[in-house]
Amino acid sequence: MENLKYIRKNNNLTLKQLSEKLDIAESTLSMYENGKREPDFQTLNKLADFFGVTIDFLLDRNNLNTNKIPTNKSNTITLIARNGGKTEYEVPEENMELIQQMLDKLSKK
């Protein structure tokens, strides 16, 4: 659940802070983030409600990786806000390479 880690960090929360707010063991949250354990449906709902995102987002089922540009014909880029909301942008073909280079640089930081 890479998106859980992403959204937690983008909300400036440590594992300890999130575990205290949601009454979930810190070690359990860590295992969720590292893919060593899957949360049950009730816990997924609790996490999704807390961050204001969908369960699909938490389970990384939306292809919402901002470090990769989709290779579809419409040249759509999806950006994720800190609250988990998403915005899609249509980008002219001639700008796609430049945007990909910028995203590659950001992902290396």
Side-chain angles (χ1 to χ4, degrees):
M1 293 179 48
E2 290 179 20
N3 283 347
L4 175 58
K5 188 174 190 174
Y6 168 82
I7 199 167
R8 175 182 60 78
K9 286 186 172 192
N10 278 292
N11 280 275
N12 297 315
L13 291 170
T14 64
L15 277 171
K16 183 175 183 175
Q17 290 169 326
L18 183 59
S19 72
E20 290 171 353
K21 289 179 183 290
L22 297 180
D23 194 31
I24 300 171
E26 185 177 344
S27 60
T28 301
L29 286 172
S30 178
M31 285 190 275
Y32 295 159
E33 288 186 355
N34 293 305
K36 295 180 180 178
R37 184 172 173 185
E38 292 290 323
D40 61 25
F41 187 70
Q42 182 179 8
T43 303
L44 280 171
N45 275 321
K46 186 187 277 192
L47 290 164
D49 289 346
F50 180 81
F51 287 113
V53 298
T54 65
I55 290 173
D56 279 342
F57 175 82
L58 289 174
L59 294 174
D60 309 322
R61 294 195 294 193
N62 289 334
N63 295 326
L64 297 179
N65 186 341
T66 58
N67 295 328
K68 296 179 183 169
I69 295 176
T71 56
N72 57 20
K73 293 180 182 176
S74 66
N75 296 329
T76 301
I77 296 176
T78 304
L79 300 178
I80 305 170
R82 288 179 184 219
N83 67 0
K86 69 176 182 174
T87 306
E88 293 185 350
Y89 295 95
E90 295 288 325
V91 178
E93 181 67 34
E94 61 270 15
N95 295 340
M96 292 298 287
E97 185 176 342
L98 175 62
I99 292 171
Q100 183 63 60
Q101 290 171 359
M102 290 171 27
L103 291 172
D104 289 344
K105 286 181 183 178
L106 288 172
S107 69
K108 293 178 183 175
K109 288 185 178 183

